């Protein structure tokens, strides 16, 4: 009899069941193991494949991946390995691959289609390297800006995060997982990871399950609806129960209630963390049992899990049904991905021309252009006037590739190479400005000015001297990699080092001052907002941040970015996310303004837009209806541009306290100078849900304010009233 699992004509379910019946307990638990290639020796890696039938490796590239895959395909059952990598912004751990802006910067584009294309490019380059799985997208919400991983999020809003996540998942996974250039996506970190108390990474999220359902679940629900292949369980605990051991949120909520059909992988060494960090298990056997019972299917980098789970399953302490469920889910994804049908092994040199190719770089540049946000532009300082003949570029981030790239590139992970020379040409802000200035006959001088971290490393006088002879000063400041990422939560969001002193000294030169921000998260910069003549927010912009910013500065591109996250005046003002709850006595700290420095959805253009004629297709409807919201937007300025129309909803009276407003739709559209466009956004009434006190998702009858405009500020929004009956 032939092996059904090797027969391409059989269904995936038939093939999985046949293979599962042939597997020993050792092989099943081996499939649940993900081994970090950088954490074991080459001999140990080979033994994990040949002796324990390991299911997956991470951070394995090129010839190393091909070697291990050959070993796997030659084992008794020939179960292929699944190779995973943190390709969270392109295949950026591979020097020579396309590096996109970070997720936070991507979100500034408010452009789902461009973000889908970024996912497609990433999939093509990752698959060309013989790998199959990216640990992306990140669906955590950036609500406490002290958290070190804000740069990895799509911002503070559940709706925007869900829409952009679904788009990039579609890009990663393509039309079919079995396509040669499709890879598995991974929605992480499930769930409420960024809500750690005090912005502390991997700490306790002191929230209720009702709050989990209301705020943090919606993006993950959209990921399930987008058929995201895998989820990653998060480090932290929720109200004292580690997510790794949390059966309620993993097995019951995600798998049973939402119907998630893929598999769940733990985050790095999460199972051991139950013992050494969270102290809810005294030994590996207890930790392994808790992890499996909770609903984790694959165990990342806790290699001691294998022996512990094998012993417990052999003794019946862990039911074999739970092991089979986990392995069935893993095998299902391997079959759907086509690993059993020739996709597992990539010959050396196959399709590698796709990595960093011109077509892919063009996508990165297009996205980067829409990721930059114009925060200030007093007296139309930008674009620069033709009379400018000399520019001084000053600041520690003007020519700093590592700060511009940010986290999760070959410069920082998995083994940091901060001094490695990029194989692709990078446009820093200095080189980007110089390139376009030269074409216009404009001279450029440069001075670093100061260091980001070290206050003693400064030459303010030299920077002022450099600026004194220029017609305009462009100061490039912000933060650096040492201030962002895991283990790098930050209490003080003010400009560090001598950057504030540098800016104040440059301002005294009396020249127009343009500030470019290069940063992994919003910073507290009230002086910059008040004193700079123009401010550009770039976050961590990847390969082409300098080129895109220069194009805006010289007027070749009209900025269209909008903030996906709010900026505070001061670290002590946190949190400042727009969709806060009402009821705070006074609504502000007595020594701080009521509103954020810059609000969610905010972003300027070189042109101006006027909103009018807000109209609802229905003013009364049921919970099963869809209302079409339309508004006229007129480009009143001299430039063609792209405007993101934003739709917010306020629940006037509800049975639980609801946010003052919530984003429920948006559309980015091109509008020519002098043109009026009628923008229509469909609003399914089911999106007006609340989570009631019994944790049920319901749409309650009553009035809802429908608010439409260019950003989330009350003064920017037109209002209509919808009644749900």
């Amino acid at each position: 009899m032939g092996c059904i699992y090797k027969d391409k004509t059989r269904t995936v379910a038939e093939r999985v069941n046949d293979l599962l019946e042939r597997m020993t307990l050792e092989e099943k638990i081996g499939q649940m193991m993900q081994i970090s290639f950088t954490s074991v020796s080459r001999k140990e890696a080979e033994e994990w494949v040949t002796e324990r039938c390991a299911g997956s490796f991470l951070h394995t590239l090129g010839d190393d991946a091909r070697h291990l895959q050959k070993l796997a395909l030659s084992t008794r059952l020939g179960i292929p390995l699944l190779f995973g990598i943190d390709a969270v912004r392109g295949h950026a751990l591979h020097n020579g691959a396309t590096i996109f802006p970070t997720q936070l910067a991507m979100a500034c584009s408010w452009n789902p289609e461009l973000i889908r294309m970024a996912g497609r490019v990433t999939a093509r380059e990752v698959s060309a390297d013989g790998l199959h799985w990216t640990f992306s997208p990140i669906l955590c919400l950036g609500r406490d800006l002290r958290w070190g991983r804000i740069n990895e999020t799509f911002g503070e809003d559940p709706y925007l995060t869900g829409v952009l996540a679904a788009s990039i998942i579609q890009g990663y996974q393509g039309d079919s997982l079995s396509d040669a250039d499709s890879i598995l996506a991974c929605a992480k970190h499930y769930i409420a990871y960024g809500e750690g108390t005090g912005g502390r990474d991997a700490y306790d999220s002191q929230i209720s399950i009702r709050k989990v359902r209301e705020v943090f679940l919606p993006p993950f629900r959209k990921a399930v609806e987008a058929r995201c292949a895998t989820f990653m369980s998060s480090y932290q605990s929720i109200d004292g129960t580690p997510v790794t051991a949390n059966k309620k949120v993993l097995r019951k909520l995600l798998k049973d209630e939402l119907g998630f059909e893929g598999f769940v992988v733990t985050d790095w060494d999460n199972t051991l963390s139950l013992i050494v960090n969270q102290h809810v298990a005294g030994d590996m056997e207890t930790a392994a049992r808790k992890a499996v019972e909770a609903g984790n299917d694959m165990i990342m980098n806790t290699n001691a899990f294998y022996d512990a789970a094998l012993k417990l399953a052999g003794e019946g302490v862990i039911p074999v049904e739970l092991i089979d469920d986990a392995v069935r889910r893993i095998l299902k994804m391997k079959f759907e991905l086509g690993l059993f049908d020739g996709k597992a092994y990539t010959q050396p040199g196959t399709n590698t021309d796709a990595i960093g190719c011109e077509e892919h770089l063009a996508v990165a540049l297009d996205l980067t252009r829409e990721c930059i946000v114009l925060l200030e532009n007093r007296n139309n300082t930008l674009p620069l006037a033709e009379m400018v003949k000399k520019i001084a570029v000053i600041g520690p981030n003007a020519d700093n590739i590592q700060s511009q790239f940010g986290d999760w590139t070959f410069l920082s992970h998995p083994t940091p190479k901060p001094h490695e020379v990029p194989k692709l040409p990078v446009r820093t802000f200095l080189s980007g400005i110089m390139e376009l200035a030269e074409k216009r006959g404009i001279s450029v001088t440069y001075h670093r000015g100061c260091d980001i971290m070290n206050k003693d490393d400064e030459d303010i006088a030299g920077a002022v001297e450099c600026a004194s002879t220029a017609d305009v000063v462009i100061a490039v400041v912000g933060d650096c990699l040492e201030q962002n990422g895991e283990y790098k939560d930050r209490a003080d969001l003010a400009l560090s080092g001598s950057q504030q002193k540098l800016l104040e000294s440059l301002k005294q030169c009396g020249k127009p001052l343009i500030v470019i921000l290069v940063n992994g998260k919003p910073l507290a910069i009230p002086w910059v907002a008040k004193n700079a003549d123009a401010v550009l927010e770039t976050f961590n912009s990847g390969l082409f941040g300098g080129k895109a910013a220069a194009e805006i500065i010289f007027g070749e591109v009209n900025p269209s970015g909008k903030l996906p996250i709010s900026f505070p005046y001061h670290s002590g003002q946190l949190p400042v996310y727009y969709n806060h709850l009402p009821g705070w006595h006074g609504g502000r700290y007595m020594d701080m303004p009521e509103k954020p420095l810059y609000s969610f959805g905010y972003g300027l253009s070189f042109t101006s837009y006027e909103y009018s004629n807000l109209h609802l297709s229905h003013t009364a409807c049921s919970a099963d209806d869809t209302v079409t919201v339309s508004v006229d937007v007129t480009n009143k300025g001299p430039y063609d541009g792209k405007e993101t129309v934003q739709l917010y909803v306020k629940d006037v009276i509800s049975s639980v306290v609801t946010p003052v407003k919530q984003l429920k739709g948006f559309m980015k559209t091109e509008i020519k100078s002098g043109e009026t466009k009628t923008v229509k956004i469909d609003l399914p009434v089911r999106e007006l849900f609340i989570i009631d006190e019994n944790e049920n998702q319901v749409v309650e009858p009553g009035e809802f304010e429908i608010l439409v405009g260019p950003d989330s500020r009350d003064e920017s929004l037109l209002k209509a009233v919808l009644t749900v009956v």
Side-chain angles (χ1 to χ4, degrees), residues 275-399:
I275 304 171
V276 299
N277 291 329
Q278 295 165 317
H279 308 294
V280 297
D283 52 60
M284 183 50 66
E285 290 184 11
T286 305
R289 176 180 58 79
K290 284 177 176 282
V292 174
E293 289 177 348
N296 298 282
D297 303 307
M298 184 175 282
I299 309 301
M300 181 192 290
N301 196 50
T302 302
N303 297 349
F305 171 89
Y306 179 86
D307 288 332
L310 184 62
K311 178 176 183 294
L312 294 176
E315 295 172 349
V317 176
I318 297 178
V320 69
E321 292 82 9
L322 295 185
I323 300 295
D324 284 352
D325 177 64
V327 178
R328 181 176 283 108
R329 288 170 177 270
I330 294 166
L331 294 177
K332 176 176 180 287
M333 285 300 125
K334 289 188 175 185
F335 277 110
E336 290 189 0
L337 195 59
L339 297 187
F340 284 87
D341 303 322
K343 188 176 170 181
Y345 184 80
T346 303
Q347 293 291 341
T350 305
N351 298 324
T352 53
D353 288 346
I355 298 178
C357 68
E358 290 300 321
E359 178 188 353
H360 293 175
L361 296 180
V363 174
L365 178 57
D366 284 345
L367 178 56
T368 307
R369 286 171 174 145
E370 296 199 16
C371 291
I372 294 177
V373 186
L374 180 62
L375 297 178
E376 302 286 351
N377 195 23
R378 293 184 175 86
N379 303 315
N380 296 320
T381 299
L382 295 179
L384 288 181
E386 293 183 3
M387 63 190 69
V388 171
K389 297 303 179 185
K390 187 174 183 180
I391 298 172
V393 178
I394 310 289
N397 277 342
D399 201 35

Side-chain angles (χ1 to χ4, degrees), residues 583-589 594:
W584 183 11
H585 283 192
R588 52 168 285 189
Y589 290 103
E594 176 184 356

